[in-house]
Amino acid sequence: MEVPNYGMMVQPGYPINTVGANPMMPSGPNYPPAMNPAMAPGFYPSVNTNPLVPQTAPYPQFSGIPGYEGMEGEGGGKFLPPPPVVGPGPDSLPTPSNKDWTIPSISQETAKKALLDYVNGHCCYGTSPVEQMEIQQMKPFNTYRYRLETFTESRSCEWTTKPLTTNEKLDGPSNGPAPQPWEIIMEPPALFHDEIKKQPIPHTSSKKECEECHGKGKIICQKCNGNGRVKCGHCNGSGRSSGEQCSHCNGSGSEGCNGCNQTNVQTCPGCTGKGQVISYIELTVTWKNNLYEFIPDHHSEFPTDLFKKVTGDKIFVDEQLLVPPLVNFPEASINQASQTAVQQHYSQFISSCRILKQKQSIEWLPLTKVEYNWKEKSCSYFVYGRENLVETKDYPSTCCCVIL
């Protein structure tokens, strides 16, 4: 697959996302009170569990990477601005040569077979109306579905850390200047398919002391809050079970913590007990297919939502870097929808993403109202979609016991 040439763009850096840990277990009826971290065994730290208190950037002292200076010490992540779009906007492109539009329609035989399939799918529906019906009128509504798909690529970066593994080689600034986010070549997936890829930005790695445990490899046990005991699971901390003293905890309401085996501390999850981590800038590339869909008013009582269940016949497809809006389709609302969609997607994505490809299409959605008589009764039903599904509210024979 040919990889698009994104060109070289020097982009400003971006801040990092704040991180919050899970809240500590609240105290129960007989549960030991929360332990002051200063009283924790040894000098193991606790983890910041208050989501209202932001944590700082992992290692603000690691700075000086050209293009990424603004990431240190700030909160929240931002998308990187994309390189400028090559070529004119969609309004400057020529309109497609689509003067002749062929609008198909279904036959009476197709309409009857669709109703028969519908009836056969209902155990209490009789087939006599289908066999004896007299079709009075078939009203095609020439309904369409317009779609604009804009396949975009966006990039963001943030500081992150991972545990240090044995004999892992660091790719730090000494290996060369870090490339800017849009200079890194990432092969896109199949067109119009969502995907996310992450990778470290070269030459931004550094080995640092783990901030979660301050290099000790252990933290206060988050399950028992450093007490070594937790609420008894058999009596829910009440000390009594079935009206009697709980035999599991002897009425104390607490039991030994199996998260730390009553040692009061646990292995630090940030460094897996090694006390050191690798800090680096991670690039996230997001490919997304953005869809705009429009079905015009078909001037019938048919529920438009049912079209989501079916497909239509493609009567027009236009795929290019930036598609032009339609101007000469027979249905004026489709032209208006195309102009709105093209301008909306261009304005929405050109400042935050790279547009890799656009595709607009028009489907003919078969929708025919069939009016028929059976035993002097006037009835009707709709046939819709390529699948020829049926929607009806007045089928005259709904019990096989009274088929005449």
Side-chain angles (χ1 to χ4, degrees):
M1 178 182 293
E2 183 178 355
V3 179
N5 181 12
Y6 297 150
M8 296 183 65
M9 295 292 295
V10 178
Q11 309 289 353
Y14 280 85
I16 95 172
N17 287 320
T18 58
V19 179
N22 292 327
M24 295 181 180
M25 180 185 295
S27 299
N30 294 316
Y31 188 69
M35 178 177 288
N36 187 327
M39 302 295 294
F43 44 87
Y44 296 114
S46 60
V47 176
N48 175 16
T49 58
N50 186 352
L52 300 179
V53 180
Q55 299 200 34
T56 59
Y59 303 100
Q61 69 272 26
F62 182 41
S63 59
I65 300 178
Y68 298 93
E69 298 89 346
M71 294 182 63
E72 279 77 28
E74 299 181 20
K78 288 185 179 180
F79 287 103
L80 296 171
V85 173
V86 178
D91 292 336
S92 302
L93 296 176
T95 57
S97 56
N98 49 9
K99 296 181 181 180
D100 298 325
W101 304 95
T102 301
I103 308 301
S105 59
I106 65 172
S107 64
Q108 289 192 9
E109 291 73 17
T110 300
K112 285 185 176 181
K113 184 179 184 304
L115 185 59
L116 181 61
D117 292 341
Y118 172 81
V119 169
N120 289 334
H122 294 74
C123 62
C124 292
Y125 280 23
T127 59
S128 292
V130 184
E131 297 165 353
Q132 302 169 9
M133 68 190 302
E134 296 179 3
I135 294 180
Q136 302 299 308
Q137 189 176 16
M138 294 180 60
K139 295 181 179 179
F141 288 92
N142 288 345
T143 305
Y144 313 98
R145 175 162 51 207
Y146 171 81
R147 282 194 178 115
L148 173 64
E149 298 174 73
T150 300
F151 187 54
T152 60
E153 176 182 337
S154 60
R155 300 193 174 197
S156 63
C157 57
E158 62 180 343
W159 280 107
T160 187
T161 61
K162 66 178 182 178
L164 179 67
T165 59
T166 305
N167 299 324
E168 182 169 359
K169 295 182 179 180
L170 295 178
D171 182 15
S174 60
N175 291 336
Q180 300 307 302
W182 285 100
E183 295 175 1
I184 300 173
I185 301 300
M186 297 285 284
E187 184 174 351
L191 288 175
F192 307 108
H193 286 81
D194 294 352
E195 188 171 329
I196 297 177
K197 288 184 179 180
K198 296 177 180 287
Q199 75 168 44
I201 293 182
H203 316 326
T204 63
S205 298
S206 175
K207 184 169 65 173
K208 297 293 178 180
E209 177 186 279
C210 177
E211 284 209 338
E212 288 190 38
C213 65
H214 303 308
K216 299 177 176 62
K218 299 282 187 180
I219 61 172
I220 294 175
C221 178
Q222 297 181 69
K223 185 174 182 180
C224 66
N225 197 29
N227 291 285
R229 300 186 67 79
V230 295
K231 183 189 297 184
C232 176
H234 290 258
C235 64
N236 197 30
S238 66
R240 301 187 66 80
S241 178
S242 301
E244 299 179 355
Q245 177 177 292
C246 177
S247 60
H248 187 78
C249 64
N250 294 323
S252 67
S254 66
E255 60 183 340
C257 176
N258 57 14
C260 62
N261 293 322
Q262 302 184 60
T263 62
N264 306 81
V265 295
Q266 68 178 72
T267 300
C268 175
C271 64
T272 62
K274 295 181 175 62
Q276 290 186 314
V277 294
I278 293 179
S279 173
Y280 60 95
I281 300 176
E282 184 176 63
L283 173 68
T284 299
V285 182
T286 303
W287 292 279
K288 183 173 178 59
N289 189 38
N290 305 276
L291 176 65
Y292 180 102
E293 186 172 286
F294 171 76
I295 297 177
D297 185 5
H298 38 80
H299 306 290
S300 73
E301 63 270 28
F302 178 79
T304 301
D305 285 347
L306 292 180
F307 281 126
K308 296 178 181 179
K309 302 178 181 179
V310 296
T311 58
D313 287 323
K314 290 284 180 65
I315 59 176
F316 173 76
V317 177
D318 180 26
E319 181 178 324
Q320 47 187 303
L321 175 60
L322 293 173
V323 299
L326 299 176
V327 295
N328 56 359
F329 189 71
E331 172 64 55
S333 62
I334 294 292
N335 294 325
Q336 183 59 53
S338 174
Q339 295 168 28
T340 300
V342 168
Q343 185 58 48
Q344 178 179 309
H345 273 202
Y346 185 82
S347 301
Q348 180 178 354
F349 302 121
I350 201 65
S351 61
S352 60
C353 310
R354 172 180 285 277
I355 298 177
L356 300 181
K357 188 75 77 171
Q358 285 189 318
K359 177 170 63 176
Q360 63 179 342
S361 62
I362 300 175
E363 288 178 281
W364 171 66
L365 291 173
L367 177 63
T368 302
K369 185 177 183 180
V370 182
E371 297 178 351
Y372 67 96
N373 290 337
W374 180 70
K375 290 187 177 295
E376 300 182 354
K377 295 180 180 179
S378 296
C379 306
S380 66
Y381 62 95
F382 286 97
V383 182
Y384 63 101
R386 291 183 60 188
E387 296 80 0
N388 291 326
L389 300 186
V390 166
E391 167 70 7
T392 181
K393 296 180 180 179
D394 61 356
Y395 189 71
S397 180
T398 58
C399 180
C400 51
C401 300
V402 295
I403 296 178
L404 301 177

